[in-house]
Amino acid sequence: NAGVTQTPKFRILKIGQSMTLQCAQDMNHNYMYWYRQDPGMGLKLIYYSVGAGITDKGEVPNGYNVSRSTTEDFPLRLELAAPSQTSVYFCASRLASSGANVLTFGAGSRLTVL
Amino acid sequence: DAKTTQPPSMDCAEGRAANLPCNHSTISGNEYVYWYRQIHSQGPQYIIHGLKNNETNEMASLIITEDRKSSTLILPHATLRDTAVYYCIVKGGTSYGKLTFGQGTILTVHP
């Protein structure tokens, strides 16, 4: 049981390049989330998904796209990288149920856009 | 989801108890209180949660007021490794997926 796995851990992009941050979970969680965290700041929700085929915008979705073709995977796509997207990105998941459900985070992906 | 309010920062001496407050005055009956912490850019880590009763685990204790409008996370014997940002979140189990974080409380444990 690996939990939430994010790849890559580190990446440097040039302005205008595109890339995909991968997120996979093996806990059969239906809800998945992408957050970004700028230096010294809190977590901001980018996109989330409540199940395969269903995604929705969070607080800061501009410049990003997501898809959820399977329960396990929730990739985050940056189409035209900008310096403002330099940040640490965290993926998380939880199982929505009638009781309590804990959010499990990945270790993060540190992205620098130069 | 209920909004939470936390002090931006707190200090604590090593070995003493750290008491971190959280206000959630608009909490509804089926919403749980969760606490997470984030140590220096690592992924946030779950600490504890509760609904009505006080809870304790190996990491911390959670005290929820009788009216459920506020709670306190207690780290009974704080260590330097407890220096982190602590987030209080209120969420219902089956409430719709969107889940946002506030700024949290920066706890600094001093020698």
Side-chain angles (χ1 to χ4, degrees):
Chain A
N1 190 337
V4 178
T5 303
Q6 292 184 235
T7 56
K9 286 185 169 50
F10 302 94
R11 182 73 186 267
I12 297 175
L13 280 181
K14 294 181 179 178
I15 294 172
Q17 286 186 319
S18 300
M19 76 159 298
T20 299
L21 299 177
Q22 301 291 345
C23 176
Q25 53 90 10
D26 61 357
M27 299 171 284
N28 204 31
H29 285 175
N30 46 354
Y31 288 3
M32 295 188 74
Y33 304 83
W34 274 108
Y35 296 90
R36 61 175 286 175
Q37 187 172 37
D38 299 336
M41 305 297 285
L43 295 159
K44 291 294 185 185
L45 180 64
I46 306 172
Y47 271 96
Y48 65 100
S49 169
V50 299
I54 306 170
T55 62
D56 209 345
K57 296 177 181 179
E59 303 169 285
V60 289
N62 291 343
Y64 306 94
N65 281 299
V66 293
S67 58
R68 184 98 181 269
S69 57
T70 67
T71 299
E72 295 77 20
D73 299 299
F74 190 40
L76 178 71
R77 178 85 177 159
L78 286 73
E79 289 295 347
L80 292 169
S84 61
Q85 294 177 304
T86 294
S87 192
V88 180
Y89 292 83
F90 291 102
C91 180
S93 71
R94 70 180 177 108
L95 179 66
S97 65
S98 58
N101 38 88
V102 172
L103 198 59
T104 302
F105 281 84
S109 297
R110 185 177 296 274
L111 175 67
T112 302
V113 182
L114 300 174
Chain B
D1 299 330
K3 181 179 169 59
T4 62
T5 304
Q6 299 177 251
S9 64
M10 295 184 67
D11 291 330
C12 178
E14 189 177 20
R16 304 297 294 271
N19 298 287
L20 290 84
C22 180
N23 182 285
H24 32 79
S25 58
T26 60
I27 193 170
S28 61
N30 67 341
E31 289 184 316
Y32 288 77
V33 179
Y34 298 85
W35 283 85
Y36 295 83
R37 74 178 182 184
Q38 186 176 25
I39 298 174
H40 190 58
S41 297
Q42 296 178 20
Q45 172 194 26
Y46 164 78
I47 302 173
I48 198 168
H49 72 275
L51 183 62
K52 296 179 182 178
N53 300 321
N54 299 337
E55 302 288 343
T56 296
N57 63 20
E58 65 279 4
M59 292 181 68
S61 294
L62 174 61
I63 308 297
I64 302 174
T65 57
E66 193 169 341
D67 63 7
R68 303 209 322 124
K69 293 185 177 182
S70 65
S71 60
T72 301
L73 177 74
I74 301 173
L75 307 178
H77 305 286
T79 70
L80 298 179
R81 288 183 295 180
D82 291 322
T83 293
V85 181
Y86 288 77
Y87 297 99
C88 169
I89 297 167
V90 171
K91 189 71 175 173
T94 53
S95 60
Y96 196 66
K98 189 171 185 176
L99 201 164
T100 58
F101 284 71
Q103 290 300 307
T105 296
I106 300 172
L107 174 68
T108 304
V109 181
H110 297 286

